Amino acid sequence: MTPNRNADRPRIDAHEKVLGRALYAADQPFPGLLHAMTVPATIARGRILSIDTAAALQVPGVVRVFTHDDFSQIRTTPAARGAYGQPGKGYQPMTAPQVRHRGEPVALVVAETLEAAVEGAEAVTVRYTEEPFSARMDDDLAAPEPEAVSPLASGDADAVFASAPHTIDVEYRHPQQHHNPIELISTTAAFEDGTLRIYEGTQSAAAFAGGLAGMMGMEPQALRGVSPYTGGGFGQKNGVQEQSVLVASAALLLRRPVKLVMPRGQLFHTASYRPQSRHRVRLAADGDGRLLAGIYETVQQNSRYDGFASDHGANPPRMYGYGAWRGSERIVRVDTQTPGHQRAPHEHPASHATECALDELAGALGMDPVALRLANDTQRDPITGKPFSSRHLVDCLKRGAARFGWDRRTNQPGALVAENGDRIGLGVACGSYKAAMTPSVTTLRLSAGGQCRIATSGHEMGQGIRSVIAAELIDVLGVDPDKLDIRIGDTGHAPQHLTAGSWGAGSAAPAARAAALKLREELSQLTGAALSDEPVPVQLARTRRPYLEVSMDTVPLGKDRQAIEQLRRGMPVTTGPEYPDFLAFSWIAHFAEVHVEPSTGRVRVRRVVSVADCGRVMNRRTAESQVRGGVVWGIGAALREAAEIDPRFGGVLNNDLAEYVVPVNADIGAIDVDFIDEPDSRLNPSGVKGLGEVAMVGAAAAVVNAVHNATGRRIRHLPIRIEDLL
């Protein structure tokens, strides 16, 4: 069956959420539930000399205070807390008297009430011996690692750059940023049916449960990871958190359910974050604006222990038709918790640097920035020479320019002035993100009464993956959306793959479609005739069978059956962007209009037009929401968000939503979203690529370029603040 265009349907779980029936991890009710609270370290590096718990134990309701003496048996090798489920170097707080970063847990207070747990945690007294530390990658004690040359290279970029008629050489800086999801990170551990169930808002229930089992010396099947809904993940919830094994171990020792909700202020010092980075970009072009060479060198902050590789150079060489390319990356280690993936983790900072540098090149050439990008379009990857599975970036640019009114723009900064005297700036930037897929094990059951139940891999993080699954079942089977039971995010229903990297829809949709097509085929064999266009439940009812159930293993392009076994063991198994015969990416073009008040330098983003090429659009409503959310993140990155690091004590000074400034409604103007909506049938049967991450890529750069067009000032760091424009 050829996939149909999908209607603008309401989110499949909207009704449950509005009524409050969609229970998140911390909402799960348990009789006899205990509450936990951590005691954060007040030093950045050193050792614990003593922990006085006497006062805490006198607080009414406090059951127990755990320290490293209680959790020294926790295994940290092989580590389960590495990025995307990969092993890190294995540091887990509260397993020894050492302190590796400020804010890490040094004690865990468990009490009958949350109030008692908080009061008990405040009563714990810890004595330390401090050691010298570095909190920023520019500090004297920061430890740079040797420069690594990127494997993505083509031609002699240095020689071409040296002889090119037009070149630019610029450095862009990106700050440390923090996720701040609405749903705080939490862990609840409880015994049910002889199994220790761990409820956590996670993007990886299987790897999470398996990692905890390994750390606790248990068999993987002894733990069940459950994440029915996740209130915003964005990469921060794709591994075992610092508190996860502490809560699970406490529940195991006390034989009672235990819940911990980490306060937002502590998350700035315990959860992963987007690390600080520097980006040197060198571009060379001929007189017609054709890109002859690109050289891209990055430096990224990391912790002293667990690994988080720099991957800023993965996308830029694939954006345009560069004649030659060279990249390199360097890690600088400091005394903080390990950074991690945050929406468009490396692609967003990379697009900020390279798309702004491209804007600078257009200015140096006297070219229109859109014309420069159109002149360097390519249908083949400049690195491997393979074709792209689909690439409609030119259409994104042309359609976006027309909707936006790009023809108003002039190359002269400050030429457009509003009636109130504000300087108007128009900016453009593009982005890409890999189109990846993962394996799935899916069970689909359809009853003659129309009820349809599917259990498959995926995590609902607000992005609408349930709606994606529903769209395929409605398209293939004609089921009633009100009779759908979609079971995901629970290792008790199906093996759960990590949902991240914008591969959720690209994996769940083909899995649901394959299972639905298999069910149609088996029903056709039962009836001995091809099925009609009637809803499949109606045709099933005529067979007088109460239900029909099928199971389906989905192996993504470029993988074999071993991928299913790896999935069952909780291991990440991803493909893309490079496949045997092509490369696959989603693409986007952003156009931004800013108004800058000339006397105060205040910047307002009045409107944004974004056009995306993400393959088949599975649900117009959730897709538009994804892009608008990504644009809001881009506006925040461009004008608001940055962690203020205290070099004296190693902490984040603005560790709350009062001072870590994110955009609010008053900061956001009109966001006009459109899609090319061309299915990518070479990639998978559903024709879907991905949208959640690419939505942000390039959005900040479009705003920055618009600010330059309004003011003539080229700000090469984020965020742009009023003092930069005065």
Side-chain angles (χ1 to χ4, degrees), residues 71-84:
F71 295 146
S72 60
Q73 79 286 352
I74 293 175
R75 300 177 182 178
T76 56
T77 303
R81 292 186 51 245
Y84 275 30

PDB file of all heavy atoms in Angstrom, residues 71-84:
ATOM      1  N   PHE A  71      26.603   2.496  49.794  1.00  0.00           N
ATOM      2  CA  PHE A  71      26.495   2.230  48.366  1.00  0.00           C
ATOM      3  C   PHE A  71      27.828   1.873  47.724  1.00  0.00           C
ATOM      4  O   PHE A  71      27.958   1.900  46.496  1.00  0.00           O
ATOM      5  CB  PHE A  71      25.914   3.457  47.652  1.00  0.00           C
ATOM      6  CG  PHE A  71      24.498   3.782  48.045  1.00  0.00           C
ATOM      7  CD1 PHE A  71      24.059   5.098  48.092  1.00  0.00           C
ATOM      8  CD2 PHE A  71      23.596   2.781  48.360  1.00  0.00           C
ATOM      9  CE1 PHE A  71      22.761   5.411  48.441  1.00  0.00           C
ATOM     10  CE2 PHE A  71      22.296   3.069  48.720  1.00  0.00           C
ATOM     11  CZ  PHE A  71      21.865   4.392  48.765  1.00  0.00           C
ATOM     12  N   SER A  72      28.814   1.508  48.515  1.00  0.00           N
ATOM     13  CA  SER A  72      30.129   1.195  47.948  1.00  0.00           C
ATOM     14  C   SER A  72      30.103  -0.045  47.066  1.00  0.00           C
ATOM     15  O   SER A  72      31.009  -0.267  46.262  1.00  0.00           O
ATOM     16  CB  SER A  72      31.157   1.010  49.074  1.00  0.00           C
ATOM     17  OG  SER A  72      30.757  -0.052  49.937  1.00  0.00           O
ATOM     18  N   GLN A  73      29.044  -0.871  47.191  1.00  0.00           N
ATOM     19  CA  GLN A  73      28.965  -2.092  46.391  1.00  0.00           C
ATOM     20  C   GLN A  73      28.457  -1.831  44.981  1.00  0.00           C
ATOM     21  O   GLN A  73      28.493  -2.723  44.124  1.00  0.00           O
ATOM     22  CB  GLN A  73      28.039  -3.109  47.082  1.00  0.00           C
ATOM     23  CG  GLN A  73      26.547  -2.864  46.895  1.00  0.00           C
ATOM     24  CD  GLN A  73      26.014  -1.700  47.719  1.00  0.00           C
ATOM     25  OE1 GLN A  73      26.719  -1.151  48.554  1.00  0.00           O
ATOM     26  NE2 GLN A  73      24.752  -1.346  47.514  1.00  0.00           N
ATOM     27  N   ILE A  74      27.980  -0.626  44.708  1.00  0.00           N
ATOM     28  CA  ILE A  74      27.493  -0.312  43.361  1.00  0.00           C
ATOM     29  C   ILE A  74      28.631  -0.434  42.365  1.00  0.00           C
ATOM     30  O   ILE A  74      29.706   0.117  42.557  1.00  0.00           O
ATOM     31  CB  ILE A  74      26.882   1.109  43.321  1.00  0.00           C
ATOM     32  CG1 ILE A  74      25.603   1.158  44.166  1.00  0.00           C
ATOM     33  CG2 ILE A  74      26.586   1.531  41.883  1.00  0.00           C
ATOM     34  CD1 ILE A  74      25.008   2.550  44.281  1.00  0.00           C
ATOM     35  N   ARG A  75      28.380  -1.149  41.295  1.00  0.00           N
ATOM     36  CA  ARG A  75      29.409  -1.369  40.283  1.00  0.00           C
ATOM     37  C   ARG A  75      29.438  -0.189  39.310  1.00  0.00           C
ATOM     38  O   ARG A  75      28.395   0.270  38.852  1.00  0.00           O
ATOM     39  CB  ARG A  75      29.122  -2.648  39.506  1.00  0.00           C
ATOM     40  CG  ARG A  75      29.078  -3.899  40.376  1.00  0.00           C
ATOM     41  CD  ARG A  75      28.711  -5.119  39.536  1.00  0.00           C
ATOM     42  NE  ARG A  75      28.621  -6.335  40.338  1.00  0.00           N
ATOM     43  CZ  ARG A  75      28.285  -7.522  39.847  1.00  0.00           C
ATOM     44  NH1 ARG A  75      28.003  -7.639  38.553  1.00  0.00           N
ATOM     45  NH2 ARG A  75      28.226  -8.576  40.626  1.00  0.00           N
ATOM     46  N   THR A  76      30.628   0.255  39.009  1.00  0.00           N
ATOM     47  CA  THR A  76      30.760   1.345  38.047  1.00  0.00           C
ATOM     48  C   THR A  76      31.571   0.938  36.824  1.00  0.00           C
ATOM     49  O   THR A  76      31.812   1.758  35.951  1.00  0.00           O
ATOM     50  CB  THR A  76      31.436   2.570  38.697  1.00  0.00           C
ATOM     51  OG1 THR A  76      32.703   2.178  39.238  1.00  0.00           O
ATOM     52  CG2 THR A  76      30.569   3.119  39.812  1.00  0.00           C
ATOM     53  N   THR A  77      31.974  -0.323  36.740  1.00  0.00           N
ATOM     54  CA  THR A  77      32.693  -0.813  35.571  1.00  0.00           C
ATOM     55  C   THR A  77      32.125  -2.183  35.191  1.00  0.00           C
ATOM     56  O   THR A  77      32.137  -3.100  36.014  1.00  0.00           O
ATOM     57  CB  THR A  77      34.197  -0.942  35.851  1.00  0.00           C
ATOM     58  OG1 THR A  77      34.702   0.322  36.281  1.00  0.00           O
ATOM     59  CG2 THR A  77      34.930  -1.347  34.587  1.00  0.00           C
ATOM     60  N   PRO A  78      31.600  -2.391  33.959  1.00  0.00           N
ATOM     61  CA  PRO A  78      31.509  -1.349  32.939  1.00  0.00           C
ATOM     62  C   PRO A  78      30.437  -0.325  33.284  1.00  0.00           C
ATOM     63  O   PRO A  78      29.409  -0.672  33.868  1.00  0.00           O
ATOM     64  CB  PRO A  78      31.129  -2.128  31.680  1.00  0.00           C
ATOM     65  CG  PRO A  78      30.386  -3.322  32.200  1.00  0.00           C
ATOM     66  CD  PRO A  78      31.065  -3.686  33.499  1.00  0.00           C
ATOM     67  N   ALA A  79      30.686   0.930  32.949  1.00  0.00           N
ATOM     68  CA  ALA A  79      29.765   2.008  33.298  1.00  0.00           C
ATOM     69  C   ALA A  79      28.501   1.917  32.463  1.00  0.00           C
ATOM     70  O   ALA A  79      28.513   1.444  31.348  1.00  0.00           O
ATOM     71  CB  ALA A  79      30.443   3.358  33.076  1.00  0.00           C
ATOM     72  N   ALA A  80      27.409   2.365  33.056  1.00  0.00           N
ATOM     73  CA  ALA A  80      26.131   2.368  32.338  1.00  0.00           C
ATOM     74  C   ALA A  80      25.657   3.782  32.060  1.00  0.00           C
ATOM     75  O   ALA A  80      24.568   3.972  31.557  1.00  0.00           O
ATOM     76  CB  ALA A  80      25.077   1.635  33.170  1.00  0.00           C
ATOM     77  N   ARG A  81      26.477   4.785  32.393  1.00  0.00           N
ATOM     78  CA  ARG A  81      26.005   6.160  32.293  1.00  0.00           C
ATOM     79  C   ARG A  81      26.623   6.921  31.122  1.00  0.00           C
ATOM     80  O   ARG A  81      26.576   8.130  31.053  1.00  0.00           O
ATOM     81  CB  ARG A  81      26.295   6.918  33.596  1.00  0.00           C
ATOM     82  CG  ARG A  81      25.477   6.415  34.766  1.00  0.00           C
ATOM     83  CD  ARG A  81      25.665   7.278  36.001  1.00  0.00           C
ATOM     84  NE  ARG A  81      25.454   8.667  35.678  1.00  0.00           N
ATOM     85  CZ  ARG A  81      26.421   9.595  35.735  1.00  0.00           C
ATOM     86  NH1 ARG A  81      27.640   9.260  36.074  1.00  0.00           N
ATOM     87  NH2 ARG A  81      26.155  10.836  35.443  1.00  0.00           N
ATOM     88  N   GLY A  82      27.235   6.209  30.199  1.00  0.00           N
ATOM     89  CA  GLY A  82      27.829   6.891  29.064  1.00  0.00           C
ATOM     90  C   GLY A  82      26.779   7.425  28.111  1.00  0.00           C
ATOM     91  O   GLY A  82      25.608   7.069  28.156  1.00  0.00           O
ATOM     92  N   ALA A  83      27.207   8.278  27.179  1.00  0.00           N
ATOM     93  CA  ALA A  83      26.299   8.883  26.226  1.00  0.00           C
ATOM     94  C   ALA A  83      25.684   7.820  25.313  1.00  0.00           C
ATOM     95  O   ALA A  83      26.365   6.916  24.844  1.00  0.00           O
ATOM     96  CB  ALA A  83      27.044   9.924  25.389  1.00  0.00           C
ATOM     97  N   TYR A  84      24.355   7.930  25.080  1.00  0.00           N
ATOM     98  CA  TYR A  84      23.613   7.030  24.198  1.00  0.00           C
ATOM     99  C   TYR A  84      23.823   5.572  24.575  1.00  0.00           C
ATOM    100  O   TYR A  84      23.883   4.684  23.740  1.00  0.00           O
ATOM    101  CB  TYR A  84      24.014   7.264  22.739  1.00  0.00           C
ATOM    102  CG  TYR A  84      23.254   8.389  22.079  1.00  0.00           C
ATOM    103  CD1 TYR A  84      22.805   9.465  22.818  1.00  0.00           C
ATOM    104  CD2 TYR A  84      22.965   8.363  20.721  1.00  0.00           C
ATOM    105  CE1 TYR A  84      22.114  10.490  22.235  1.00  0.00           C
ATOM    106  CE2 TYR A  84      22.268   9.390  20.120  1.00  0.00           C
ATOM    107  CZ  TYR A  84      21.840  10.455  20.879  1.00  0.00           C
ATOM    108  OH  TYR A  84      21.134  11.478  20.297  1.00  0.00           O
TER     109      TYR A  84
END
